[in-house]
Amino acid sequence: MRNCRYSRRSAKLQENINPMTAPPSDGQNNSTESNLQGHNSPNRMHFGWRTLKPWEAYVFALVVTAITLVLRLEFDDVLGGHPTLVIFTIPVMLSAYAGGLRAGLLATATSCLASGYYLLPPLHSFAVALPGDHWLQFSFALAGVLISVMNEALHRARRLADQISKQHVQAQKDLAKVETLQSAIFHSAHFWIIATDEKGVIQIFNPVAERKLGYAAAEVVNKTTPAILHERQEVIERAAALSLEYGVAVSADFEALAFRAARGIEDMYEVTKVRKDVGSFPALLSITALRDERQSIIGYLLIGIDDTARKQAEAQLQQANAKLKAWAQALNSFAIVEETDPQGRITYANDPFCSISKYSREEVIGRDHRDILISRTHPREFWKKMWVTISHGEIWRGEIKNHAKDGTVYWVDTVIVPLLGRDEKPETYLAIGFAITERKLAEEEWKRAEKEIQFLNTALEQRVLERTKQLKAANGELEAFSYSVSHDLRAPLRHVSGFVELLQREAGASLSEKSLRYLSTISQSAHRMGELIDDLLTFSRIGKSDLQKTEVSLAALVQDVMGDFQSATKERNIIWDIHPLPHVRADPALMRQVMVNLMSNAVKFTSARANAKIEIGSSSSPAGDTVIFIRDNGAGFDPLYAGKLFGVFQRLHSREEFEGTGIGLANIQRIIHRHGGRVWAEGVVDGGATFSFSIPNQPTET
Amino acid sequence: MNTANMEVTHIKNILLVEDDHRDVELTLAALEEQNLANQVFVLHDGAQALDYLYHRGKFTDRSGSNPVLILLDLKMPKVDGLEVLKIVKADEQLKTIPVVMLTSSRETPDLTECYKHGVNAYVVKPVDFSNFMKAVSQLGIFWAAINNPPLPAAKEKP
């Protein structure tokens, strides 16, 4: 019900309060103002016509007296000469009523004069002859004075009443204003307001309180204290805390809430408010004691606000802070962090900063980073660019070379983040960096090494050029040498051989057996010398000529070479086991020489076998090269000397055993090496031998 | 035809140009086997050979026709065999004369060079005398082929 009353009144009061806060240009406000006047006008009417001004009252007195005199004279005959002064009390009364004391006195005086002149003998003279008339006139004047005095009193009373009435109107206006303010506060959208009497029993419970706390005003007003709106436990704890603080027993009810307020202490605290229906929420509460003019407590005022949003924000802030703290911790554990003011003076430096710079925190705080740490290696433009960037509020990144306290150099890959203030200008520069000294030193080392390599390369190129020149010269000489060998060395041999032959023909019949054997030996030696020279020339030729690479079918090549051996081996029993063979990319003539050599070796070294077996096949090396092998069951060789097989003129068997110059395998090795391949041999004495060579599928020129 | 043959056989119509006397002796010994030695005219360097072919110097007054075969050693003092070959094969008059190179060298460039300049045969002088004999006997056959059978020009005559 109370609530309804406030609601109804609030509309009206709201209207009345508006002119105070809003400009009066608004049409509605104007009408409200006239309404205010209308409301007061009946009060004025209640006091009758306005008091006359003094001159109006005097004129009124004279006029009324004059009229009375005229009417008296008119009725003179009827009255039979009787003065009847009493009639003049009428104008006196009227004048006094209308004009107060002075108007009454004026009417009295005028009436006395007029009656003396016109009514009392002698007539038409102000003199009064009869002693009875003197008395009459005197008593009339006395009555007039009395009437005037009394009316004056009435006038004063009326003015007072008027004044009081005016004050009353003003008081009402003031009251309305206060009520409007109270109502506005009462209906505040944010604060709940609970007023109690001095015992704590709720008297006022505003709509916000109803909405926020879930109780209807009617449920609590005059029925309970605000203690039911608090967590019980909180109230108990508060009572305990207050008991401890003040050393008096504090009961865990409304007393605990109002304890401080009752002692005149402004009390504001955070509580958990309990709703009637469900749950509770954090609130901020202020409690004040209400006192009368004698300072005795007449009640308490509790103003509260829902603190949920603020608490949430606080919690979020705390969470964000915790997160930031974790980040900062993580960052601090391995990054070099530093803060400077806008002038570049260090305001913060973390542990990694101190440990790498070898300065203590106290030594760097307040100093300019550039003065203590930075070496002069960076050009002026480098710094200028950095400052332009960060002073414009943009992030800068770069690699900075610093000098530690002990003079050692360290590099930091640095990001500088300007933290802007309210004026959008950098307030703090946050520099986060990572030590990259090792990388930088490695880079420098690398650059130095590169230069050195470049230098060495140039020198090497020069040397290569020189060597090439020398080699070319040497090659030329060698060529000339082998040419000369082929011509000039062979000629004497030919002569030895030729003339021995001629001698045999010429004198053969007359020579002894022994002499003929000598001649034969000379001839054979010359022949062998010729072979050696031929093989040596071949060997040197292999090194000189360019490779003419094409696809070579090894299968066809092997068949072809076998054909060459046909006549030489038809007396022997040789089993040829030829596996499928691939194509290789090689010089056909040289490849033929290789196969001829290897196959003739196999034929040669199996000559002592009744059943010779020669196997030719292929496989693939781990590197993907083609591998060809020729396996025989011949004399084999001692693996101990396998390395010597491929040397020029290296022989593992005597010439008596197996003929040959000992240059064939050297030739093979030279040819295979020129093709980028490898040649090797496996064998045991009398257990046969396997010769293998590889040819790259991705040929490399050597 | 016969008359012409007689005339040819009377003059020494094989020219051997060889600086090494021993090689000359061996070659002649081999040719003797083929009964050709007495037809060989021996010169010792390229310059002499050119003088002979062009009737110059001491051969200014040389009578008779050109040889039917030239055996030419490759390596010789003054003017070597290759130069002689070049000149002979570049000469309209001489280029029909078969030229056989007799050489110790098996060097491929020499061989290629000789064939490039139109050599008719190339014989590597073997160290082995029996092989040498074989090679020279081949030359004999070669000579016989040129000497006896109808030459393309002779064929046209009748």
Side-chain angles (χ1 to χ4, degrees):
Chain A
M1 285 309 289
R2 187 183 282 263
N3 184 26
C4 286
R5 189 165 68 86
Y6 277 118
S7 301
R8 198 171 59 243
R9 284 192 59 161
S10 71
K12 197 167 104 189
L13 290 168
Q14 200 68 34
E15 278 175 11
N16 291 344
I17 205 160
N18 272 344
M20 298 192 288
T21 53
S25 59
D26 192 333
Q28 196 196 338
N29 287 342
N30 286 342
S31 74
T32 310
E33 201 150 29
S34 63
N35 187 14
L36 191 72
Q37 281 167 357
H39 172 74
N40 289 328
S41 54
N43 290 343
R44 197 179 283 185
M45 281 173 71
H46 174 74
F47 295 107
W49 48 289
R50 288 284 310 145
T51 309
L52 297 176
K53 288 178 179 134
W55 67 269
E56 287 171 341
Y58 300 150
V59 171
F60 179 76
L62 292 176
V63 170
V64 175
T65 309
I67 291 167
T68 309
L69 180 64
V70 171
L71 288 171
R72 170 60 187 82
L73 292 175
E74 221 32 60
F75 294 102
D76 201 29
D77 295 340
V78 180
L79 292 170
H82 198 280
T84 56
L85 280 183
V86 73
I87 201 166
F88 283 99
T89 56
I90 294 169
V92 170
M93 279 196 280
L94 285 173
S95 299
Y97 180 76
L101 179 67
R102 289 180 190 183
L105 289 177
L106 183 61
T108 306
T110 318
S111 299
C112 282
L113 289 175
S115 62
Y117 193 79
Y118 290 107
L119 299 175
L120 300 174
L123 293 180
H124 306 295
S125 152
F126 292 109
V128 178
L130 300 173
D133 290 347
H134 276 159
W135 173 245
L136 195 65
Q137 210 169 24
F138 175 72
S139 58
F140 170 76
L142 193 61
V145 167
L146 281 173
I147 290 167
S148 297
V149 168
M150 281 161 66
N151 269 296
E152 181 61 28
L154 179 67
H155 265 262
R156 283 193 180 178
R158 222 158 53 189
R159 275 204 297 275
L160 192 62
D162 212 16
Q163 207 177 342
I164 288 167
S165 160
K166 272 183 192 162
Q167 279 172 356
H168 176 69
V169 167
Q170 189 58 44
Q172 263 190 336
K173 275 187 192 170
D174 289 348
L175 187 65
K177 217 186 269 182
V178 169
E179 276 184 351
T180 305
L181 284 171
Q182 274 181 352
S183 169
I185 293 165
F186 192 77
H187 286 87
S188 149
H190 299 292
F191 294 94
W192 65 74
I193 298 165
I194 301 169
T196 72
D197 62 15
E198 73 283 7
K199 292 190 189 71
V201 178
I202 295 172
Q203 300 298 305
I204 294 173
F205 201 72
N206 81 336
V208 180
E210 290 182 314
R211 201 170 65 237
K212 280 284 179 187
L213 303 171
Y215 290 93
E219 285 180 277
V220 290
V221 169
N222 277 324
K223 283 180 182 151
T224 182
T225 74
I228 62 148
L229 302 167
H230 291 73
E231 289 260 8
R232 181 78 195 126
Q233 193 54 39
E234 265 182 20
V235 178
I236 291 167
E237 278 167 17
R238 187 173 160 79
L242 287 166
S243 302
L244 202 68
E245 194 180 337
Y246 289 92
V248 291
V250 180
S251 57
D253 52 23
F254 183 71
E255 189 187 355
L257 302 181
F259 190 85
R260 280 215 182 86
R263 276 153 187 77
I265 301 162
E266 179 72 25
D267 201 1
M268 190 141 168
Y269 49 92
E270 288 176 14
V271 291
T272 308
K273 273 282 178 187
V274 180
R275 281 182 62 85
K276 182 196 175 189
D277 39 20
V278 277
S280 55
F281 60 91
L284 200 61
L285 197 68
S286 157
I287 181 161
T288 319
L290 302 172
R291 293 162 196 275
D292 63 12
E293 61 271 25
R294 288 191 304 281
Q295 295 301 310
S296 55
I297 291 170
I298 55 164
Y300 293 94
L301 179 66
L302 293 88
I303 297 172
I305 187 166
D306 185 348
D307 211 18
T308 311
R310 200 180 65 91
K311 280 279 178 192
Q312 271 172 0
E314 208 172 66
Q316 277 170 357
L317 198 67
Q318 259 175 4
Q319 209 176 346
N321 268 338
K323 208 182 211 174
L324 263 180
K325 214 171 153 187
W327 283 9
Q329 205 172 5
L331 202 61
N332 271 332
S333 68
F334 67 97
I336 298 161
V337 181
E338 165 192 7
E339 276 179 22
T340 75
D341 64 13
Q343 284 73 44
R345 284 188 296 262
I346 298 169
T347 52
Y348 170 81
N350 73 346
D351 290 344
F353 178 95
C354 294
S355 72
I356 199 166
S357 70
K358 302 193 172 66
Y359 281 100
S360 73
R361 197 164 279 117
E362 293 69 39
E363 283 174 310
V364 295
I365 298 290
R367 304 273 310 270
D368 193 313
H369 183 112
R370 289 161 290 185
D371 292 346
I372 53 169
L373 293 170
I374 284 167
S375 66
R376 301 273 168 231
T377 47
H378 298 290
R380 188 182 288 274
E381 295 75 54
F382 179 86
W383 299 116
K384 201 176 162 193
K385 212 173 164 189
M386 183 196 91
W387 276 105
V388 166
T389 306
I390 61 176
S391 62
H392 282 79
E394 280 162 31
I395 292 171
W396 178 88
R397 179 167 183 178
E399 294 173 350
I400 299 177
K401 188 178 186 180
N402 294 286
H403 275 164
K405 191 181 182 183
D406 61 3
T408 53
V409 166
Y410 67 96
W411 281 87
V412 180
D413 183 358
T414 308
V415 175
I416 301 179
V417 184
L419 305 178
L420 305 184
R422 280 177 186 274
D423 57 356
E424 295 291 308
K425 280 182 186 147
E427 218 166 46
T428 301
Y429 293 117
L430 175 64
I432 298 169
F434 300 98
I436 51 164
T437 312
E438 277 174 27
R439 197 193 86 202
K440 272 294 179 187
L441 290 180
E443 271 176 19
E444 277 174 11
E445 188 62 36
W446 177 248
K447 270 182 199 160
R448 214 171 21 242
E450 245 181 3
K451 259 187 200 164
E452 211 165 296
I453 287 168
Q454 220 166 17
F455 173 75
L456 286 175
N457 269 345
T458 316
L460 194 66
E461 266 168 41
Q462 194 60 38
R463 274 170 68 189
V464 166
L465 281 178
E466 276 169 28
R467 284 287 159 86
T468 310
K469 216 163 134 192
Q470 288 171 358
L471 269 176
K472 269 185 185 162
N475 243 350
E477 278 169 29
L478 205 66
E479 232 168 286
F481 171 76
S482 56
Y483 190 79
S484 148
V485 164
S486 77
H487 280 92
D488 301 343
L489 227 55
R490 282 158 56 94
L493 282 175
R494 195 164 57 243
H495 300 153
V496 169
S497 165
F499 284 103
V500 165
E501 184 83 22
L502 289 179
L503 181 60
Q504 280 174 331
R505 291 182 182 201
E506 203 59 35
S510 60
L511 284 174
S512 66
E513 189 82 359
K514 205 172 183 180
S515 299
L516 284 173
R517 191 166 59 78
Y518 290 162
L519 285 176
S520 165
T521 305
I522 293 168
S523 182
Q524 274 170 20
S525 298
H527 179 75
R528 167 137 183 81
M529 185 70 185
E531 280 181 344
L532 285 172
I533 289 168
D534 282 351
D535 283 355
L536 260 184
L537 287 172
T538 307
F539 183 70
S540 77
R541 226 185 355 256
I542 291 165
K544 273 193 294 180
S545 60
D546 290 330
L547 294 181
Q548 306 291 325
K549 283 189 180 177
T550 56
E551 286 291 313
V552 177
S553 163
L554 286 175
L557 180 57
V558 166
Q559 288 303 325
D560 188 34
V561 175
M562 272 170 65
D564 289 356
F565 295 141
Q566 213 80 67
S567 57
T569 60
K570 63 183 172 203
E571 303 294 317
R572 290 185 49 196
N573 180 19
I574 298 174
I575 299 162
W576 292 91
D577 180 8
I578 314 291
H579 298 283
L581 294 169
H583 284 69
V584 291
R585 199 171 161 73
D587 184 309
L590 293 178
M591 195 45 62
R592 184 169 210 285
Q593 202 175 334
V594 168
M595 293 314 292
V596 166
N597 259 301
L598 287 175
M599 286 164 73
S600 66
N601 271 353
V603 167
K604 187 163 71 188
F605 288 101
T606 53
S607 56
R609 293 283 180 274
N611 294 306
K613 190 186 170 191
I614 300 169
E615 184 186 358
I616 303 177
S618 76
S619 65
S620 215
S621 81
D625 297 345
T626 300
V627 175
I628 306 297
F629 65 87
I630 291 122
R631 184 175 297 137
D632 63 59
N633 61 344
F637 57 88
D638 187 344
L640 198 62
Y641 305 113
K644 284 190 168 185
L645 277 173
F646 300 99
V648 177
F649 297 139
Q650 294 280 349
R651 295 177 55 89
L652 296 186
H653 300 277
S654 69
R655 267 185 61 78
E656 280 67 37
E657 260 186 293
F658 300 105
E659 53 185 16
T661 56
I663 207 160
L665 286 174
N667 275 343
I668 290 170
Q669 188 176 50
R670 205 158 187 188
I671 291 167
I672 297 300
H673 280 182
R674 288 210 62 197
H675 281 83
R678 206 165 65 80
V679 57
W680 64 99
E682 296 143 288
V684 283
V685 176
D686 264 347
T690 305
F691 285 84
S692 309
F693 64 88
S694 63
I695 295 283
N697 286 323
Q698 296 289 321
T700 48
E701 294 288 337
T702 52
Chain B
M1 198 75 173
N2 269 348
T3 329
N5 244 350
M6 285 305 289
E7 271 177 24
V8 169
T9 48
H10 276 296
I11 52 154
K12 294 190 171 177
N13 49 10
I14 295 176
L15 181 60
L16 170 64
V17 191
E18 170 66 82
D19 64 319
D20 192 318
H21 294 283
R22 293 178 192 86
D23 273 342
V24 170
E25 199 174 341
L26 286 173
T27 310
L28 289 176
L31 286 172
E32 209 163 294
E33 299 259 313
Q34 307 289 324
N35 297 315
L36 290 170
N38 59 344
Q39 297 183 20
V40 178
F41 188 78
V42 179
L43 291 171
H44 297 294
D45 63 55
Q48 284 181 353
L50 290 174
D51 282 352
Y52 179 87
L53 289 170
Y54 285 103
H55 304 269
R56 296 186 308 217
K58 58 178 182 177
F59 300 107
T60 313
D61 301 325
R62 177 177 73 88
S63 61
S65 58
N66 285 328
V68 291
L69 176 68
I70 301 172
L71 301 174
L72 200 53
D73 185 26
L74 194 61
K75 263 192 82 184
M76 286 185 300
K78 295 183 189 169
V79 179
D80 69 12
L82 190 61
E83 266 178 84
V84 175
L85 172 74
K86 282 183 195 170
I87 291 164
V88 169
K89 289 302 177 183
D91 191 302
E92 283 299 321
Q93 298 295 314
L94 302 175
K95 71 178 182 186
T96 52
I97 305 171
V99 178
V100 174
M101 296 305 282
L102 283 172
T103 174
S104 309
S105 173
R106 283 170 186 253
E107 293 296 298
T108 333
D110 283 351
L111 201 144
T112 331
E113 197 72 3
C114 289
Y115 277 112
K116 207 154 83 183
H117 290 102
V119 78
N120 299 80
Y122 188 99
V123 175
V124 177
K125 292 182 261 183
V127 170
D128 202 337
F129 186 72
S130 55
N131 283 337
F132 188 71
M133 296 291 283
K134 241 184 255 170
V136 173
S137 70
Q138 304 252 322
L139 281 181
I141 295 159
F142 189 77
W143 176 86
I146 299 158
N147 209 19
N148 292 323
L151 286 162
K155 243 184 180 175
E156 281 168 18
K157 269 182 184 172

